[in-house]
Amino acid sequence: MRAVNVNADIKFANRAKLMKYLLDNGSASRQELTQALELSSPTVIQIIKELTERGLITEVCEYNSTGGRKAKTLGVTKGLYFSVGVEVTKHSLQMVLVDMNHDVLATERIRYPYQDVTAYYVGIGNHVQQFLAKNGISEEKGNAESVLGVGLSIPGTINSSDGVIWRSITLSITSNMNTSRFTQFIPYETHCAQNAENAAFAEAKNKHSESMVCLFLNDTVSGAAYLDGRIY
């Protein structure tokens, strides 16, 4: 039984590696995937077959060829799964909808002054659902499960290990507050992080950079460093 589980884990890891490579690089041929992932050609062919049958990847174009068959490139299927980013500021909410290819599909900024009351946190969940509905994603349409999750940016110092906001000058939070207060009414899996950390991660991914320092200028000044794939 253990051998079966190990094989399943290896297959899952290989599928995840291939998907991540396509997400990070946009597209790739079968040969490029074989070389980059250091997997055998039969393994890559099988993974491509499985992911194609599930609708997760598709052919996106063909390379020019000097002779023989053209090499086809593969990419992650557009419009299949989505994520929402929400930035909390002192006076507003900024929301963005992206697909798995990191393409920005929609943005919206609404005036929504921060208040440490239940109604405010209920409103965050409502605004997220309204934003998605405006872009054709809702329970009524039967496609709410296409939302993979929500990323919430909060202007403050957050302990990533326990999700506690130590302090936020912008929001006048002076004592420990759990980020669950912000996420409790959002009906999707939600991850919270400091706004500067999210900005650094997004910039590094967009520019395919291994290392960078990001200064985030809003109501206050904050910063983060992206070094060798990790945020500091």
Side-chain angles (χ1 to χ4, degrees):
M1 181 63 71
R2 179 57 185 162
V4 173
N5 291 337
V6 169
N7 288 335
D9 290 343
I10 293 173
K11 289 181 178 179
F12 179 85
N14 288 339
R15 288 196 296 267
K17 284 170 59 177
L18 190 146
M19 285 289 290
K20 185 178 186 306
Y21 186 87
L22 291 179
L23 287 170
D24 290 342
N25 294 277
S27 64
S29 68
R30 188 180 69 191
Q31 182 177 359
E32 287 172 335
L33 291 168
T34 300
Q35 294 174 345
L37 303 179
E38 299 181 342
L39 297 173
S40 69
S41 182
T43 297
V44 170
I45 290 173
Q46 181 60 33
I47 294 173
I48 290 173
K49 179 176 181 293
E50 292 173 359
L51 295 179
T52 301
E53 289 176 348
R54 295 172 61 182
L56 294 174
I57 64 174
T58 186
E59 293 178 2
V60 293
C61 65
E62 293 180 335
Y63 283 135
N64 291 328
S65 175
T66 56
R69 297 180 61 184
K70 292 183 177 180
K72 296 179 179 179
T73 62
L74 301 156
V76 176
T77 304
K78 291 181 178 292
L80 191 62
Y81 291 104
F82 310 92
S83 297
V84 179
V86 181
E87 180 190 352
V88 175
T89 73
K90 185 176 182 179
H91 301 292
S92 65
L93 290 179
Q94 171 78 42
M95 294 177 285
V96 59
L97 179 68
V98 299
D99 64 12
M100 290 180 66
N101 293 286
H102 306 154
D103 293 330
V104 175
L105 306 178
T107 62
E108 183 178 357
R109 187 182 187 90
I110 61 170
R111 180 167 176 77
Y112 195 60
Y114 174 72
Q115 301 177 72
D116 185 19
V117 295
T118 300
Y120 175 86
Y121 304 114
V122 171
I124 293 179
N126 290 339
H127 284 304
V128 167
Q129 293 184 80
Q130 291 166 12
F131 175 60
L132 287 168
K134 289 179 184 177
N135 291 282
I137 303 172
S138 65
E139 291 287 353
E140 289 73 16
K141 291 184 177 293
N143 59 357
E145 291 185 356
S146 64
V147 178
L148 297 175
V150 175
L152 198 65
S153 289
I154 297 175
T157 304
I158 302 175
N159 185 344
S160 59
S161 64
D162 59 11
V164 170
I165 304 170
W166 288 342
R167 184 179 66 166
S168 171
I169 296 174
T170 301
L171 304 182
S172 299
I173 298 172
T174 57
S175 59
N176 292 354
M177 176 191 290
N178 201 290
T179 53
S180 61
R181 193 173 301 189
F182 286 84
T183 65
Q184 59 186 314
F185 298 105
I186 299 175
Y188 301 100
E189 182 175 345
T190 303
H191 174 74
C192 292
Q194 184 195 28
N195 50 11
E197 293 180 354
N198 284 338
F201 182 81
E203 286 296 316
K205 287 297 182 181
N206 288 337
K207 293 179 170 50
H208 302 287
S209 174
E210 292 296 324
S211 301
M212 68 162 35
V213 175
C214 177
L215 287 178
F216 192 82
L217 307 178
N218 205 319
D219 297 311
T220 59
V221 179
S222 55
Y226 183 85
L227 304 172
D228 298 323
R230 294 177 63 91
I231 290 289
Y232 298 91

